[in-house]
Amino acid sequence: MKVLVIGGGGREHALAWRLAQAERVSRVYVAPGNGGTVNDPRYDCIDITEPAALREWAIREKVALTVVGPEAPLAAGVVDEFRAHGLRIFGPTKAAAQLESSKAFSKAFMKRHRIPTAEYEAFTDAAAAHAYVDAKGAPIVVKADGLAAGKGVVVAMTAQEAHEAIDFMLLGDNKLGVTHNEGGARVVIEEFLQGEEASFIVLCDGKNVTALATSQDHKRLLDNDEGPNTGGMGAYSPAPVVTAEVHARAMREIILPTIRGMEKDGIPYTGFLYAGLMIDAQGHPKTLEFNCRMGDPETQPIMMRLKSDLFEVFWHATDGTLDQVELQWDRRVALGVVMAAHGYPLSPRKGDRIDGIPAEAPDAVVFHAGTAMKDGELQTSGGRVLCVTVLADSVKLAQQRAYEVAARIRFDGAQYRRDIGHRAVHARAHHAGG
């Protein structure tokens, strides 16, 4: 059977890689793909991104299953488009994807359904937003309301930082490239939560929920969680902070009430649901945000650990029979280190030649994100370029293996963190932020 993966990042490369190993899959198409998928005989890349054109192509090619990677096509209604023509596609509808595409919708939904989250207010007026910050003080979190490729969040440690973020998001010239919702620029300002973050990602078929392996990503650009926020500089799985008790609480207090709430609101939720959790010192999780897709770079280590046939899992998910699925995981630790371009995150440089990527090994795969083939050579084409992903018996060994591989890869201005997985190594349960 033919499978289509929509997207061109590291997450999509990892999904395509795992789907290509499935027994019933004959071809994996990636739209548009990247320099890693275009160069690999296991995949066919197609240069189509517009939902209606993709749907026409899928009908013509008799594609059996489509999986959506990134947020933009979901917010553009690609799932609705495919389903309206009887095509099997895994992902949330445009209405359901508002859980991610509108922070204001998401926060109001959580309040309505009593899902634990930070206290918040939403503003379109800068003066009112400034007054709220003055009343609340810092630290405080300022979020752009709209899709911002994971970069529309400022954790302001001082009131001045918060005021600057408000002006930047409401009055600036949209340097973040936020896709605004109706009513123009808007910010959500919320209380700063203390604790340790984890990525809690599940598959949903409208009623049933299956949790993926736990993971933790590293949002800050620099070691020791310093520097600006990014889309994510690395991740590992499993995340020790998500104990069996935290897992049970997250399912009971956050995930299941979300699925039931969406159903009650007449917007049944299908697809990946990613809850960014903040877990306090007592092991109580609160929701930082929802994403309607798998995380990137969390997908890469999670796919390395998944032993189940991913095609069969998606088939059940699109049949409404996820309750019949029990996922099998490699017991080892998977860890992914993102190699980013010069100037990332604000102004990543494109066109630098990439050398030294080693051949795939059973315990090490280099997933491509911001890469492209140009004039016969592999070049950087985006902010996050590669994710070096490995399996090993401990976090410490996984770090050693990943950095061993990363050291062989060369491109001008490459930057990557040297401490991915540090929280698991030190098991610092009371770590705050980033």
Side-chain angles (χ1 to χ4, degrees):
M1 291 202 231
K2 295 175 175 178
V3 177
L4 169 63
V5 176
I6 297 175
R11 161 184 49 225
E12 291 75 42
H13 189 179
L15 289 168
W17 174 79
R18 182 46 82 200
L19 283 164
Q21 298 167 40
E23 221 169 287
R24 290 204 286 158
V25 171
S26 55
R27 280 310 302 153
V28 177
Y29 297 91
V30 191
N34 55 41
T37 52
V38 79
N39 246 355
D40 192 317
R42 289 175 290 187
Y43 320 110
D44 286 315
C45 294
I46 55 164
D47 198 13
I48 308 173
T49 50
E50 203 272 318
L54 275 168
R55 180 256 306 158
E56 278 170 21
W57 180 89
I59 290 171
R60 203 167 55 244
E61 288 293 328
K62 299 187 171 56
V63 167
L65 168 75
T66 300
V67 179
V68 191
E71 61 271 33
L74 295 170
V78 72
V79 170
D80 310 67
E81 178 70 45
F82 272 55
R83 282 194 191 155
H85 292 82
L87 292 166
R88 186 183 283 262
I89 185 167
F90 184 66
T93 59
K94 185 177 182 174
Q98 287 180 98
L99 270 180
E100 172 169 13
S101 62
S102 168
K103 297 277 185 277
F105 171 91
S106 170
K107 295 297 285 193
F109 172 86
M110 287 190 261
K111 199 178 214 174
R112 198 164 59 248
H113 293 286
R114 297 191 176 85
I115 293 161
T117 189
E119 185 196 341
Y120 80 103
E121 288 294 336
F123 301 93
T124 51
D125 174 55
H130 287 305
Y132 185 77
V133 167
D134 287 335
K136 293 289 179 186
I140 199 162
V141 180
V142 185
K143 296 179 175 180
D145 181 38
L147 294 179
K151 294 192 285 280
V153 178
V154 172
V155 178
M157 298 317 284
T158 66
Q160 187 188 338
E161 274 180 73
H163 291 309
E164 283 169 7
I166 290 164
D167 288 343
F168 187 62
M169 291 176 193
L170 286 182
L171 308 175
D173 54 5
N174 198 11
K175 274 201 183 75
L176 289 171
V178 175
T179 309
H180 294 311
N181 294 307
E182 281 169 37
R186 177 159 57 171
V187 294
V188 170
I189 303 177
E190 59 184 44
E191 72 173 305
F192 172 78
L193 297 177
Q194 294 277 9
E196 188 172 344
E197 283 186 49
S199 307
F200 201 92
I201 308 173
V202 299
L203 299 157
C204 313
D205 67 8
K207 283 197 184 321
N208 305 298
V209 176
T210 298
L212 294 177
T214 62
S215 58
Q216 187 173 58
D217 83 339
H218 300 62
K219 285 279 183 228
R220 302 281 185 164
L221 181 69
L222 307 173
D223 287 6
N224 304 316
D225 300 316
E226 289 174 6
N229 252 340
T230 69
M233 292 300 292
Y236 63 96
S237 169
V241 67
V242 184
T243 60
E245 194 183 330
V246 169
H247 195 287
R249 282 192 98 118
M251 286 295 278
R252 188 175 67 241
E253 296 172 10
I254 294 168
I255 301 296
L256 292 173
T258 299
I259 301 306
R260 303 284 170 266
M262 291 295 276
E263 212 180 340
K264 208 158 135 195
D265 291 355
I267 318 171
Y269 193 93
T270 56
F272 291 111
L273 180 66
Y274 165 155
L277 304 182
M278 183 65 85
I279 299 154
D280 69 14
Q282 286 73 47
H284 298 145
K286 277 191 178 179
T287 318
L288 291 172
E289 62 176 357
F290 284 121
N291 292 319
C292 294
R293 55 198 158 87
M294 277 196 83
D296 189 341
E298 294 97 328
T299 305
Q300 292 87 314
I302 289 173
M303 286 299 114
M304 285 287 275
R305 287 190 62 219
L306 181 68
K307 292 172 89 167
S308 306
D309 184 316
L310 188 58
F311 176 81
E312 302 302 337
V313 173
F314 285 144
W315 200 261
H316 277 291
T318 47
D319 262 352
T321 54
L322 262 182
D323 52 333
Q324 296 172 25
V325 169
E326 200 174 317
L327 298 176
Q328 303 298 319
W329 300 98
D330 193 307
R331 296 181 71 91
R332 289 174 292 176
V333 169
L335 184 139
V337 175
V338 170
M339 299 184 74
H342 174 84
Y344 180 74
L346 277 180
S347 49
R349 189 170 69 203
K350 297 179 181 180
D352 286 312
R353 181 181 150 151
I354 306 167
D355 291 301
I357 297 178
E360 194 174 298
D363 68 339
V365 183
V366 179
F367 293 110
H368 290 238
T371 69
M373 287 303 291
K374 211 166 176 193
D375 307 324
E377 70 176 24
L378 187 67
Q379 296 184 353
T380 62
S381 68
R384 292 185 295 167
V385 179
L386 302 165
C387 185
V388 176
T389 315
V390 303
L391 280 167
D393 287 327
S394 69
V395 177
K396 201 97 184 116
L397 290 168
Q399 285 178 323
Q400 284 169 13
R401 180 82 172 107
Y403 289 115
E404 202 177 276
V405 176
R408 292 187 228 159
I409 301 169
R410 294 175 305 282
F411 58 90
D412 229 22
Q415 44 174 344
Y416 56 92
R417 282 182 54 162
R418 304 299 200 277
D419 66 346
I420 300 303
H422 70 88
R423 289 198 197 97
V425 173
H426 304 302
R428 292 205 303 245
H430 305 306
H431 187 80

